[in-house]
Amino acid sequence: PKAPDRRPQFPLSFYPHRLLTARPAPKDPTMPDLTLSLTRLIPAPPIALWRCWTEPALLLRWFTPHPVQTTAATLAPTPGGTFQVTMRLPNNDILNLPAGCILIAESPARLVWTNTLGPGFIPNALGTGPTDFPLTTDLRFTPEASGHHTRYSATVHHATEADRAKHAAMGFETGWGQATDQLAALALFL
């Protein structure tokens, strides 16, 4: 006869990776707002935006606002996968960001990545430079009822108010806004 299954049975809360997609935690009104966000209605289907975010050849074409150039991208859109970009700044300096980690990949609806972990969920040691602050980016691609547009939402979570302020001072609104315009223009033709 088959032996009974004696493995312990744990409640769903024991499996935190399953909670990531269940529902967001309620916002604590006593906590500071550590996010920067951008939402746009883009006249393209969610799959086009997903492809622009997850295919390196497409990401290279829109990811950074002009005159910054994205010169390399490594992406593996699966939990634990790699998210890494290299940029050339206007003064020709190279900004090679440490490889981040994909946390959630739900094609074509949601992509979440962080720089606090590297590929395989291994912790990253961040530097002390002006762009070295921990963040998690949550991207959502929600189809509109018409079927011809996507509500694109990018929310960047920061560890501290100082990190959020640093990112805002770098030009988050202008830079991410311009990059999103470039994303929308590319997605129209996919």
Side-chain angles (χ1 to χ4, degrees), residues 131-146:
T131 61
D132 295 323
F133 48 85
L135 59 82
T136 298
T137 301
D138 187 344
L139 306 166
R140 302 198 185 213
F141 317 106
T142 307
E144 288 292 297
S146 69

Side-chain angles (χ1 to χ4, degrees), residues 8-183:
Q9 299 299 311
F10 297 104
L12 180 61
S13 61
F14 182 79
Y15 303 96
H17 65 282
R18 291 188 180 173
L19 296 177
L20 289 175
T21 58
R23 63 183 176 274
K27 175 89 172 104
D28 181 347
T30 65
M31 296 295 293
D33 183 8
L34 302 177
T35 63
L36 294 170
S37 61
L38 174 138
T39 300
R40 296 270 177 86
L41 192 59
I42 297 179
I47 190 64
L49 300 177
W50 174 265
R51 288 185 56 206
C52 287
W53 267 103
T54 60
E55 295 178 22
L58 295 175
L59 190 88
L60 292 175
R61 295 170 57 185
W62 71 268
F63 186 69
T64 49
H66 184 75
V68 178
Q69 296 175 320
T70 306
T71 57
T74 304
L75 299 162
T78 185
T82 302
F83 185 94
Q84 182 176 27
V85 294
T86 301
M87 298 175 254
R88 181 184 314 276
L89 304 177
N91 64 2
N92 282 328
D93 282 352
I94 300 297
L95 183 59
N96 190 19
L97 300 175
C101 182
I102 303 288
L103 301 175
I104 300 171
E106 298 171 347
S107 174
R110 188 174 183 206
L111 183 68
V112 179
W113 59 273
T114 186
N115 68 351
T116 61
L117 297 172
F121 305 105
I122 304 300
N124 264 344
L126 299 177
T128 58
T131 61
D132 295 323
F133 48 85
L135 59 82
T136 298
T137 301
D138 187 344
L139 306 166
R140 302 198 185 213
F141 317 106
T142 307
E144 288 292 297
S146 69
H148 302 292
H149 291 79
T150 299
R151 181 158 309 280
Y152 169 72
S153 173
T155 303
V156 182
H157 304 276
H158 301 84
T160 66
E161 290 176 318
D163 292 339
R164 181 192 182 280
K166 188 187 308 185
H167 200 183
M170 287 173 58
F172 173 86
E173 188 173 324
T174 302
W176 279 62
Q178 184 180 342
T180 299
D181 292 343
Q182 295 165 181
L183 164 67

